[in-house]
Amino acid sequence: MLMRTFITAAVAALAVCGADAAFAADTVGARLVGAWKIVSVYDEFADGSRRDTWGPGAQGLVVFTPGGQFSAIIVGRDRPARAGGVPSEPVGPAIAYAGTYSVDEAAHAFSTSVWQSTFPQWQGQTLVRTIETLEGDHLKVRAAPITDATGRQFVPHLELDRVK
């Protein structure tokens, strides 16, 4: 009898959660949850020119959990292996970072609070990403403008497809 009561309660709880999830699916935050594979990553300058900072065909993954955590990795493609190398000494362009995120529905943006990053300057920082497109299984975001070492300002762009 106890098991039957537990199963009934579990089914009822799942039904309620399913109803809430269906309602929440209309929000940017709910649609953002999941794993996203990088399709394109580039920097765009004011004159419209682009730069493949991570090299052509960069790969990576961004994951947003329902609980508000995220992780991201971007790795340049076709990086040469290093003889005698160890995983703590990566080769070529690569970045990974993780922390928490929050969504600003009105601004169509999300902010990441970075706990840890292979780029130490981001640790403890809040990074804002504007969502340009979130349609079906395609996501396109842009970051705030950055000035590079030569003094040129650019805007990083990232396009992703949901992992199914």
Side-chain angles (χ1 to χ4, degrees), residues 134-163:
L134 178 51
E135 296 175 0
D137 293 329
H138 187 71
L139 171 64
K140 183 175 179 182
V141 301
R142 73 173 184 276
I146 297 173
T147 302
D148 68 13
T150 67
R152 291 181 69 198
Q153 193 174 63
F154 63 91
V155 176
H157 290 261
L158 190 61
E159 294 185 38
L160 309 107
D161 283 338
R162 186 180 301 278
V163 176

mmCIF file of all heavy atoms in Angstrom, residues 134-163:
data_model
loop_
_atom_site.group_PDB
_atom_site.id
_atom_site.type_symbol
_atom_site.label_atom_id
_atom_site.label_comp_id
_atom_site.label_asym_id
_atom_site.label_seq_id
_atom_site.Cartn_x
_atom_site.Cartn_y
_atom_site.Cartn_z
ATOM 1 N N LEU A 134 16.999 33.198 -30.954
ATOM 2 C CA LEU A 134 16.732 31.956 -30.233
ATOM 3 C C LEU A 134 15.456 31.387 -30.843
ATOM 4 O O LEU A 134 14.354 31.639 -30.387
ATOM 5 C CB LEU A 134 16.571 32.191 -28.730
ATOM 6 C CG LEU A 134 16.250 30.963 -27.872
ATOM 7 C CD1 LEU A 134 17.207 29.808 -28.140
ATOM 8 C CD2 LEU A 134 16.244 31.337 -26.396
ATOM 9 N N GLU A 135 15.658 30.687 -31.942
ATOM 10 C CA GLU A 135 14.536 30.141 -32.703
ATOM 11 C C GLU A 135 14.713 28.643 -32.837
ATOM 12 O O GLU A 135 15.702 28.187 -33.423
ATOM 13 C CB GLU A 135 14.452 30.791 -34.084
ATOM 14 C CG GLU A 135 14.160 32.274 -34.038
ATOM 15 C CD GLU A 135 14.207 32.939 -35.411
ATOM 16 O OE1 GLU A 135 14.473 32.249 -36.409
ATOM 17 O OE2 GLU A 135 13.973 34.161 -35.461
ATOM 18 N N GLY A 136 13.768 27.900 -32.305
ATOM 19 C CA GLY A 136 13.864 26.442 -32.366
ATOM 20 C C GLY A 136 15.147 25.968 -31.721
ATOM 21 O O GLY A 136 15.399 26.218 -30.552
ATOM 22 N N ASP A 137 15.974 25.310 -32.517
ATOM 23 C CA ASP A 137 17.224 24.747 -32.015
ATOM 24 C C ASP A 137 18.444 25.557 -32.423
ATOM 25 O O ASP A 137 19.552 25.031 -32.487
ATOM 26 C CB ASP A 137 17.361 23.298 -32.514
ATOM 27 C CG ASP A 137 16.308 22.394 -31.907
ATOM 28 O OD1 ASP A 137 15.889 22.651 -30.765
ATOM 29 O OD2 ASP A 137 15.900 21.426 -32.576
ATOM 30 N N HIS A 138 18.258 26.844 -32.731
ATOM 31 C CA HIS A 138 19.381 27.699 -33.125
ATOM 32 C C HIS A 138 19.473 28.898 -32.180
ATOM 33 O O HIS A 138 18.468 29.548 -31.894
ATOM 34 C CB HIS A 138 19.230 28.183 -34.568
ATOM 35 C CG HIS A 138 20.431 28.919 -35.068
ATOM 36 N ND1 HIS A 138 21.625 28.292 -35.354
ATOM 37 C CD2 HIS A 138 20.638 30.227 -35.307
ATOM 38 C CE1 HIS A 138 22.506 29.195 -35.751
ATOM 39 N NE2 HIS A 138 21.938 30.376 -35.735
ATOM 40 N N LEU A 139 20.675 29.165 -31.714
ATOM 41 C CA LEU A 139 20.940 30.264 -30.791
ATOM 42 C C LEU A 139 22.099 31.086 -31.323
ATOM 43 O O LEU A 139 23.134 30.540 -31.716
ATOM 44 C CB LEU A 139 21.302 29.699 -29.405
ATOM 45 C CG LEU A 139 21.818 30.652 -28.347
ATOM 46 C CD1 LEU A 139 20.757 31.688 -27.968
ATOM 47 C CD2 LEU A 139 22.271 29.879 -27.112
ATOM 48 N N LYS A 140 21.914 32.398 -31.362
ATOM 49 C CA LYS A 140 23.002 33.295 -31.767
ATOM 50 C C LYS A 140 23.108 34.386 -30.700
ATOM 51 O O LYS A 140 22.119 35.033 -30.359
ATOM 52 C CB LYS A 140 22.722 33.925 -33.125
ATOM 53 C CG LYS A 140 23.850 34.805 -33.618
ATOM 54 C CD LYS A 140 23.599 35.336 -35.024
ATOM 55 C CE LYS A 140 24.749 36.230 -35.445
ATOM 56 N NZ LYS A 140 24.532 36.801 -36.778
ATOM 57 N N VAL A 141 24.317 34.556 -30.167
ATOM 58 C CA VAL A 141 24.549 35.564 -29.126
ATOM 59 C C VAL A 141 25.739 36.440 -29.494
ATOM 60 O O VAL A 141 26.594 36.048 -30.292
ATOM 61 C CB VAL A 141 24.793 34.918 -27.737
ATOM 62 C CG1 VAL A 141 23.610 34.079 -27.314
ATOM 63 C CG2 VAL A 141 26.055 34.085 -27.710
ATOM 64 N N ARG A 142 25.759 37.618 -28.881
ATOM 65 C CA ARG A 142 26.922 38.497 -29.031
ATOM 66 C C ARG A 142 27.306 38.997 -27.649
ATOM 67 O O ARG A 142 26.466 39.170 -26.765
ATOM 68 C CB ARG A 142 26.640 39.636 -29.992
ATOM 69 C CG ARG A 142 25.728 40.701 -29.476
ATOM 70 C CD ARG A 142 25.627 41.899 -30.444
ATOM 71 N NE ARG A 142 24.809 42.931 -29.864
ATOM 72 C CZ ARG A 142 23.492 42.987 -29.914
ATOM 73 N NH1 ARG A 142 22.809 42.040 -30.524
ATOM 74 N NH2 ARG A 142 22.843 43.972 -29.338
ATOM 75 N N ALA A 143 28.589 39.242 -27.499
ATOM 76 C CA ALA A 143 29.120 39.748 -26.234
ATOM 77 C C ALA A 143 29.276 41.260 -26.333
ATOM 78 O O ALA A 143 29.090 41.858 -27.395
ATOM 79 C CB ALA A 143 30.471 39.099 -25.951
ATOM 80 N N ALA A 144 29.618 41.861 -25.228
ATOM 81 C CA ALA A 144 29.903 43.297 -25.212
ATOM 82 C C ALA A 144 31.182 43.549 -26.011
ATOM 83 O O ALA A 144 32.049 42.674 -26.115
ATOM 84 C CB ALA A 144 30.077 43.765 -23.772
ATOM 85 N N PRO A 145 31.313 44.729 -26.580
ATOM 86 C CA PRO A 145 32.526 45.049 -27.347
ATOM 87 C C PRO A 145 33.791 44.911 -26.497
ATOM 88 O O PRO A 145 33.788 45.181 -25.295
ATOM 89 C CB PRO A 145 32.309 46.503 -27.758
ATOM 90 C CG PRO A 145 30.832 46.703 -27.705
ATOM 91 C CD PRO A 145 30.351 45.830 -26.584
ATOM 92 N N ILE A 146 34.857 44.483 -27.169
ATOM 93 C CA ILE A 146 36.174 44.308 -26.551
ATOM 94 C C ILE A 146 37.179 45.072 -27.397
ATOM 95 O O ILE A 146 37.054 45.142 -28.620
ATOM 96 C CB ILE A 146 36.573 42.812 -26.525
ATOM 97 C CG1 ILE A 146 35.585 42.013 -25.657
ATOM 98 C CG2 ILE A 146 38.000 42.630 -26.039
ATOM 99 C CD1 ILE A 146 35.809 40.520 -25.720
ATOM 100 N N THR A 147 38.197 45.640 -26.762
ATOM 101 C CA THR A 147 39.278 46.298 -27.495
ATOM 102 C C THR A 147 40.498 45.383 -27.452
ATOM 103 O O THR A 147 40.928 44.967 -26.373
ATOM 104 C CB THR A 147 39.609 47.670 -26.875
ATOM 105 O OG1 THR A 147 38.424 48.466 -26.886
ATOM 106 C CG2 THR A 147 40.703 48.375 -27.657
ATOM 107 N N ASP A 148 41.040 45.062 -28.630
ATOM 108 C CA ASP A 148 42.198 44.170 -28.672
ATOM 109 C C ASP A 148 43.499 44.933 -28.430
ATOM 110 O O ASP A 148 43.489 46.161 -28.231
ATOM 111 C CB ASP A 148 42.228 43.360 -29.975
ATOM 112 C CG ASP A 148 42.507 44.179 -31.221
ATOM 113 O OD1 ASP A 148 42.926 45.340 -31.120
ATOM 114 O OD2 ASP A 148 42.302 43.635 -32.332
ATOM 115 N N ALA A 149 44.607 44.221 -28.467
ATOM 116 C CA ALA A 149 45.921 44.805 -28.170
ATOM 117 C C ALA A 149 46.325 45.893 -29.147
ATOM 118 O O ALA A 149 47.136 46.766 -28.820
ATOM 119 C CB ALA A 149 46.984 43.708 -28.144
ATOM 120 N N THR A 150 45.739 45.886 -30.355
ATOM 121 C CA THR A 150 46.079 46.911 -31.347
ATOM 122 C C THR A 150 45.194 48.149 -31.217
ATOM 123 O O THR A 150 45.355 49.108 -31.964
ATOM 124 C CB THR A 150 45.937 46.359 -32.787
ATOM 125 O OG1 THR A 150 44.551 46.098 -33.051
ATOM 126 C CG2 THR A 150 46.763 45.105 -32.993
ATOM 127 N N GLY A 151 44.218 48.101 -30.301
ATOM 128 C CA GLY A 151 43.321 49.236 -30.104
ATOM 129 C C GLY A 151 42.042 49.163 -30.921
ATOM 130 O O GLY A 151 41.198 50.047 -30.832
ATOM 131 N N ARG A 152 41.887 48.101 -31.714
ATOM 132 C CA ARG A 152 40.657 47.930 -32.502
ATOM 133 C C ARG A 152 39.565 47.325 -31.625
ATOM 134 O O ARG A 152 39.797 46.367 -30.905
ATOM 135 C CB ARG A 152 40.897 47.027 -33.705
ATOM 136 C CG ARG A 152 41.792 47.660 -34.757
ATOM 137 C CD ARG A 152 41.994 46.748 -35.945
ATOM 138 N NE ARG A 152 40.744 46.627 -36.704
ATOM 139 C CZ ARG A 152 40.511 45.654 -37.582
ATOM 140 N NH1 ARG A 152 41.419 44.725 -37.802
ATOM 141 N NH2 ARG A 152 39.379 45.612 -38.252
ATOM 142 N N GLN A 153 38.369 47.858 -31.744
ATOM 143 C CA GLN A 153 37.244 47.333 -30.994
ATOM 144 C C GLN A 153 36.475 46.329 -31.853
ATOM 145 O O GLN A 153 36.294 46.536 -33.048
ATOM 146 C CB GLN A 153 36.312 48.462 -30.552
ATOM 147 C CG GLN A 153 35.307 48.013 -29.513
ATOM 148 C CD GLN A 153 34.483 49.168 -28.979
ATOM 149 O OE1 GLN A 153 33.744 49.795 -29.723
ATOM 150 N NE2 GLN A 153 34.627 49.451 -27.703
ATOM 151 N N PHE A 154 36.052 45.224 -31.232
ATOM 152 C CA PHE A 154 35.298 44.195 -31.940
ATOM 153 C C PHE A 154 34.222 43.626 -31.025
ATOM 154 O O PHE A 154 34.262 43.809 -29.807
ATOM 155 C CB PHE A 154 36.226 43.076 -32.438
ATOM 156 C CG PHE A 154 36.917 42.320 -31.333
ATOM 157 C CD1 PHE A 154 36.338 41.181 -30.777
ATOM 158 C CD2 PHE A 154 38.141 42.753 -30.848
ATOM 159 C CE1 PHE A 154 36.979 40.484 -29.763
ATOM 160 C CE2 PHE A 154 38.789 42.066 -29.833
ATOM 161 C CZ PHE A 154 38.202 40.929 -29.286
ATOM 162 N N VAL A 155 33.268 42.945 -31.641
ATOM 163 C CA VAL A 155 32.184 42.298 -30.905
ATOM 164 C C VAL A 155 32.254 40.797 -31.174
ATOM 165 O O VAL A 155 32.135 40.364 -32.327
ATOM 166 C CB VAL A 155 30.804 42.848 -31.333
ATOM 167 C CG1 VAL A 155 29.678 42.100 -30.627
ATOM 168 C CG2 VAL A 155 30.714 44.342 -31.058
ATOM 169 N N PRO A 156 32.457 39.980 -30.130
ATOM 170 C CA PRO A 156 32.448 38.525 -30.310
ATOM 171 C C PRO A 156 31.033 38.005 -30.579
ATOM 172 O O PRO A 156 30.067 38.464 -29.953
ATOM 173 C CB PRO A 156 32.959 37.992 -28.970
ATOM 174 C CG PRO A 156 33.652 39.156 -28.333
ATOM 175 C CD PRO A 156 32.896 40.361 -28.789
ATOM 176 N N HIS A 157 30.917 37.070 -31.520
ATOM 177 C CA HIS A 157 29.637 36.437 -31.873
ATOM 178 C C HIS A 157 29.789 34.929 -31.747
ATOM 179 O O HIS A 157 30.853 34.376 -32.054
ATOM 180 C CB HIS A 157 29.244 36.770 -33.317
ATOM 181 C CG HIS A 157 28.859 38.196 -33.519
ATOM 182 N ND1 HIS A 157 27.550 38.591 -33.553
ATOM 183 C CD2 HIS A 157 29.600 39.307 -33.693
ATOM 184 C CE1 HIS A 157 27.501 39.902 -33.745
ATOM 185 N NE2 HIS A 157 28.738 40.353 -33.835
ATOM 186 N N LEU A 158 28.710 34.300 -31.339
ATOM 187 C CA LEU A 158 28.696 32.847 -31.189
ATOM 188 C C LEU A 158 27.369 32.326 -31.697
ATOM 189 O O LEU A 158 26.308 32.830 -31.320
ATOM 190 C CB LEU A 158 28.858 32.507 -29.698
ATOM 191 C CG LEU A 158 29.096 31.093 -29.275
ATOM 192 C CD1 LEU A 158 30.390 30.548 -29.864
ATOM 193 C CD2 LEU A 158 29.170 31.015 -27.757
ATOM 194 N N GLU A 159 27.423 31.338 -32.588
ATOM 195 C CA GLU A 159 26.203 30.690 -33.087
ATOM 196 C C GLU A 159 26.263 29.225 -32.686
ATOM 197 O O GLU A 159 27.300 28.573 -32.824
ATOM 198 C CB GLU A 159 26.110 30.811 -34.610
ATOM 199 C CG GLU A 159 25.931 32.253 -35.069
ATOM 200 C CD GLU A 159 25.715 32.365 -36.561
ATOM 201 O OE1 GLU A 159 25.009 31.491 -37.136
ATOM 202 O OE2 GLU A 159 26.240 33.319 -37.140
ATOM 203 N N LEU A 160 25.118 28.732 -32.189
ATOM 204 C CA LEU A 160 25.066 27.371 -31.671
ATOM 205 C C LEU A 160 23.798 26.669 -32.121
ATOM 206 O O LEU A 160 22.775 27.321 -32.358
ATOM 207 C CB LEU A 160 25.099 27.392 -30.134
ATOM 208 C CG LEU A 160 26.224 28.206 -29.503
ATOM 209 C CD1 LEU A 160 25.673 29.473 -28.922
ATOM 210 C CD2 LEU A 160 26.923 27.408 -28.455
ATOM 211 N N ASP A 161 23.857 25.344 -32.170
ATOM 212 C CA ASP A 161 22.696 24.508 -32.426
ATOM 213 C C ASP A 161 22.498 23.588 -31.234
ATOM 214 O O ASP A 161 23.489 23.058 -30.677
ATOM 215 C CB ASP A 161 22.860 23.671 -33.691
ATOM 216 C CG ASP A 161 22.651 24.486 -34.961
ATOM 217 O OD1 ASP A 161 21.987 25.537 -34.896
ATOM 218 O OD2 ASP A 161 23.166 24.056 -36.006
ATOM 219 N N ARG A 162 21.238 23.391 -30.847
ATOM 220 C CA ARG A 162 20.930 22.517 -29.721
ATOM 221 C C ARG A 162 21.377 21.088 -30.029
ATOM 222 O O ARG A 162 21.170 20.578 -31.131
ATOM 223 C CB ARG A 162 19.428 22.532 -29.434
ATOM 224 C CG ARG A 162 19.030 21.753 -28.192
ATOM 225 C CD ARG A 162 17.529 21.798 -27.946
ATOM 226 N NE ARG A 162 17.027 23.139 -27.796
ATOM 227 C CZ ARG A 162 17.066 23.855 -26.673
ATOM 228 N NH1 ARG A 162 17.631 23.346 -25.600
ATOM 229 N NH2 ARG A 162 16.562 25.072 -26.629
ATOM 230 N N VAL A 163 21.978 20.442 -29.048
ATOM 231 C CA VAL A 163 22.370 19.039 -29.164
ATOM 232 C C VAL A 163 21.130 18.192 -28.882
ATOM 233 O O VAL A 163 20.445 18.406 -27.886
ATOM 234 C CB VAL A 163 23.500 18.679 -28.167
ATOM 235 C CG1 VAL A 163 23.815 17.205 -28.233
ATOM 236 C CG2 VAL A 163 24.740 19.517 -28.444
#
